């Protein structure tokens, strides 16, 4: 299968590298990329030659979150259209989370919003020192609704509450401390660290790995259709508020939103 926003390469050991390829846009999630990630997850899940998958980004960033043009399109969209687009993102994340094979994030740079969501659906994540992270939606008057089931499951309710409400950025040390990352290494050591994370899986039965992943998910609160629809409704409700209109306008106009206070002043 040919992709426009991704590349997929499988080596002789069955390691598939799934690379986000919009480096000029910091690998921001566009509509086409979301659809291609969903398709790629399905293909890789079915391919018996694939033992595990490494998810990474091309260029300086892992994933900057939502694409600017996607954001602009949502401004003019109807409530139903916004819910449909958000559902595509939710189902893409679920498809990656439910991949019946190990999914390892090779975090080559910063990740924000949906990028944090992508890391959260991976079984492990190794990041480069200096990378930054954030759930920055509230700066726009929005909420991280679609990614919330996956991020909260990964970092816990307390950490999700703190970072989703404040929109503060955090470093790799904090990300590892709250469980978002499994390891942090220097840029030149990233590939070796990812390989070290991968090697133990070659001794494990592929079918037992798939069953173990399914078991782990069954032990956690379910991320099912009902929960997904609830998050989509809450996101749609937030899009319709005056603060969302102001926050998005401020972002596009490259100015501070009206609620921003200079704490140093």
């Amino acid at each position: 299968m040919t992709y426009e926003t991704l590349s997929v390469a499988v080596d002789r050991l069955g390691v598939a590298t799934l690379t986000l390829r919009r480096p000029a846009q910091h690998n921001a999630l566009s509509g086409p990329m979301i659809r291609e990630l969903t398709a790629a997850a399905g293909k890789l899940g079915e391919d018996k030659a694939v033992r595990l998958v490494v998810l990474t980004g091309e260029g300086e960033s892992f994933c900057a979150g939502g694409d600017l043009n996607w954001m602009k399109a949502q401004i003019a969209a109807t409530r139903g259209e916004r819910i449909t687009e958000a559902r595509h993102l939710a189902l893409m994340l679920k498809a990656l989370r439910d991949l019946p094979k190990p999914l390892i994030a090779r975090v080559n740079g910063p990740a924000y919003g949906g990028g944090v969501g992508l890391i959260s659906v991976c079984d492990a994540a190794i990041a480069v020192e200096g990378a930054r992270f954030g759930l920055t939606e509230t700066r726009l008057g929005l909420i991280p609704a679609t990614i919330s089931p996956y991020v909260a499951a990964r970092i816990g309710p307390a950490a999700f509450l703190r970072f989703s409400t404040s929109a503060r950025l955090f470093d790799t040390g904090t990300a590892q401390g709250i469980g978002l990352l499994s390891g942090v290494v220097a840029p030149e050591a990233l590939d070796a660290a990812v390989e070290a994370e991968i090697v133990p899986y070659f001794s494990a039965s592929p079918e037992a790995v798939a069953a173990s992943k399914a078991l782990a998910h069954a032990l956690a609160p379910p991320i099912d259709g009902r929960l997904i629809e609830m998050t989509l409704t809450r996101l749609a409700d937030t899009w319709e508020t005056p603060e969302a209109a102001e926050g998005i306008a401020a972002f596009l106009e490259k100015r501070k939103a009206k609620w921003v206070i200079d704490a140093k002043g």
Side-chain angles (χ1 to χ4, degrees), residues 53-249:
V53 180
V54 174
L55 176 64
T56 192
E58 181 178 303
E60 299 178 353
S61 300
F62 179 73
C63 177
D67 177 73
L68 180 60
N69 289 327
W70 179 88
M71 182 72 70
K72 290 178 178 178
Q74 298 315 296
I75 296 172
T78 65
R79 178 184 178 89
E81 289 168 340
R82 288 170 182 161
I83 288 176
T84 295
E85 283 299 304
R87 185 178 291 111
H88 289 322
L89 173 59
L91 295 180
M92 177 271 285
L93 292 169
K94 193 171 190 305
L96 287 171
R97 175 185 178 269
D98 293 346
L99 194 71
K101 297 167 186 186
L103 179 61
I104 312 300
R106 176 186 179 275
V107 185
N108 56 299
Y112 305 108
V116 175
L118 284 175
I119 296 172
S120 297
V121 299
C122 293
D123 304 320
I126 311 296
V128 293
E129 295 172 346
R132 301 277 279 176
F133 308 89
L135 300 169
T136 55
E137 287 84 350
T138 55
R139 294 185 183 182
L140 302 177
L142 297 172
I143 57 175
T146 312
I147 65 173
S148 62
Y150 310 98
V151 180
R154 182 61 170 263
I155 68 177
F160 179 75
L161 178 64
R162 182 181 184 221
F163 292 107
S164 67
T165 56
S166 67
R168 71 183 71 208
L169 302 185
F170 53 98
D171 60 16
T172 51
T174 300
Q176 188 171 13
I178 62 177
L180 181 65
L181 301 178
S182 312
V184 179
V185 296
E188 62 272 17
L190 181 59
D191 288 334
V194 171
E195 183 176 354
E197 185 68 33
I198 286 171
V199 168
Y201 288 106
F202 293 131
S203 300
S205 153
E207 290 188 4
V209 167
S212 185
K213 282 191 66 170
L215 172 63
H217 292 161
L219 294 172
I223 299 177
D224 54 18
R226 182 177 179 180
L227 178 60
I228 288 172
E229 291 303 315
M230 181 274 287
T231 65
L232 303 184
T233 298
R234 292 192 181 220
L235 178 60
D237 290 344
T238 308
W239 264 100
E240 294 169 1
T241 64
E243 286 198 349
E246 163 60 15
I248 294 165

Side-chain angles (χ1 to χ4, degrees), residues 11-91:
D11 69 14
R12 63 181 182 82
L13 299 176
V15 177
T17 301
L18 175 57
T19 305
L20 311 181
R21 299 194 64 188
R22 302 185 72 222
Q25 295 78 30
H26 298 278
N27 299 317
L29 292 165
S30 63
M33 179 180 277
I34 289 169
R35 290 189 288 273
E36 289 188 350
L37 279 168
T38 305
K43 292 284 187 181
L44 292 169
E46 295 171 357
D47 190 342
K48 295 187 180 300
V50 173
R51 290 288 295 267
L52 57 89
V53 180
V54 174
L55 176 64
T56 192
E58 181 178 303
E60 299 178 353
S61 300
F62 179 73
C63 177
D67 177 73
L68 180 60
N69 289 327
W70 179 88
M71 182 72 70
K72 290 178 178 178
Q74 298 315 296
I75 296 172
T78 65
R79 178 184 178 89
E81 289 168 340
R82 288 170 182 161
I83 288 176
T84 295
E85 283 299 304
R87 185 178 291 111
H88 289 322
L89 173 59
L91 295 180

